[in-house]
Amino acid sequence: MSASISSNDSALKLLLAFIPEAEQALSVDSVADQLSQLSLNGHHVEGTNAVALLLAATYNESLAGATDADKAEVSQWMTMSARHGPSERQIFAQTINDHLADKTYLVSNYLSLADLIAFGNVYAFMESLSGQKRFNWSGFSRWFDLIQHTVPAGALAKAGLKLIEIDLNAPAPAKKQVATTGSKAEQPTGAEPKAAKQDKKEKEKKQPAAAKEEAKIVPSMIDLRVGHILDVQKHPDADSLYVEKIDVGEDEPRTVVSGLVRFIPIEQMQNRDVVLVCNLKPAAMRGVKSFAMVLCATSSDGNTVEFVEPPKGSKPGDRVYFEGYETGTPEEVLKPKQKVFETIQPGLFTDDNREAGWYDEQKVFHKLLVRGQVCTTATVVKGSLK
């Protein structure tokens, strides 16, 4: 089992680092002159996409798509990514931006090879963009920021990449210079006529405040609750997935699908208290619909994944909230277009004391609480939450 990776193949380097089993099992014994190559289990393939698909089939099949339709779409995005060379990255970025107007990920609502390969291919392009262009392509920029925070920082470093600071606030407008010479009757070039200004003011008066300014996204919009795992089984059609029955204080337990097989043994999944994200849109994972997401912490090197654990004495259905946002009301279902979780998630971390929380734009840490007591992890410090 060996591989040779092209020196400029950031996408494949990232994928190898993202799948610890593949990185440990393979011997990357050379740098390919042009096409990356892989020999594995009697198969020999060449090219980024072929190597990526073989790695996924061997070590993490869910990355290739949860359904036949998803697999076909993943393949289409990977092909599109390969066709757009460095000189066509802008066209590809615009395509991604338009596609993500009402979506979170390129395929369905989970991370796939499509996202990882596309991310590696557009990384240098994003690095070159101005703040204004990143703001103009908000769908592309939000997706990029989500992927770079989903991938462990250690995996980024191994791929020769680093976090890019993404600011989705509108850049400050340039100050207008008003001419000071000439007669008072003259108007500066580009100035609005008086009548037009008056019409504009009248229209603004008629607009409701909500239409002029979008609602601010805050962490209390996310429905976080304490859950208790009643039962857990291996997914019948996916080796990397568990299917859990979790009590969240409702009449019936929720079915939840989690990609934790590689990180948490099944015996450690049983009878555990966890924190659940309960208002994500339900998603089918290899034929099993998942109705929540278990919140976990990932170490910076990506090798350790642990539950975010509610404090002792917590009960199923207890509300989990961020310090300073105790009174907010969660959305019934998070709308993909609003990208609430995608906006908040990059700030979710554990601190030096293993305490979970959220860093706001001013880098203030808001602890994750249940009845005033903080949620923690077993060992992960300064790890991302997702």
Side-chain angles (χ1 to χ4, degrees), residues 319-355:
R319 182 168 176 249
V320 184
Y321 56 90
F322 292 92
E323 188 177 27
Y325 293 88
E326 294 87 346
T327 59
T329 302
E331 299 285 299
E332 186 174 344
V333 178
L334 294 179
K335 299 177 180 64
K337 283 187 178 181
Q338 287 184 302
K339 299 189 184 299
V340 173
F341 189 75
E342 295 81 2
T343 301
I344 298 299
Q345 190 277 326
L348 299 178
F349 283 92
T350 56
D351 62 11
D352 290 329
N353 299 315
R354 300 178 289 104
E355 295 179 337

Side-chain angles (χ1 to χ4, degrees), residues 60-62 66 232-244 256-262 285-288:
N60 190 344
E61 59 184 352
S62 62
V232 57
Q233 304 290 333
K234 284 281 194 73
H235 193 296
D237 298 317
D239 293 338
S240 62
L241 302 176
Y242 287 128
V243 179
E244 306 109 33
V256 179
V257 181
S258 305
L260 297 172
V261 171
R262 294 185 293 136
M285 303 290 285
R286 298 299 293 271
V288 178

Side-chain angles (χ1 to χ4, degrees), residues 215-266:
K216 184 178 180 181
I217 291 176
V218 292
S220 55
M221 298 169 77
I222 302 171
D223 184 4
L224 297 166
R225 299 185 221 168
V226 174
H228 182 77
I229 299 178
L230 301 172
D231 181 65
V232 57
Q233 304 290 333
K234 284 281 194 73
H235 193 296
D237 298 317
D239 293 338
S240 62
L241 302 176
Y242 287 128
V243 179
E244 306 109 33
K245 293 291 185 183
I246 303 181
D247 179 6
V248 291
E250 298 171 335
D251 292 340
E252 298 290 335
R254 293 199 184 196
T255 298
V256 179
V257 181
S258 305
L260 297 172
V261 171
R262 294 185 293 136
F263 302 102
I264 304 177
I266 193 167

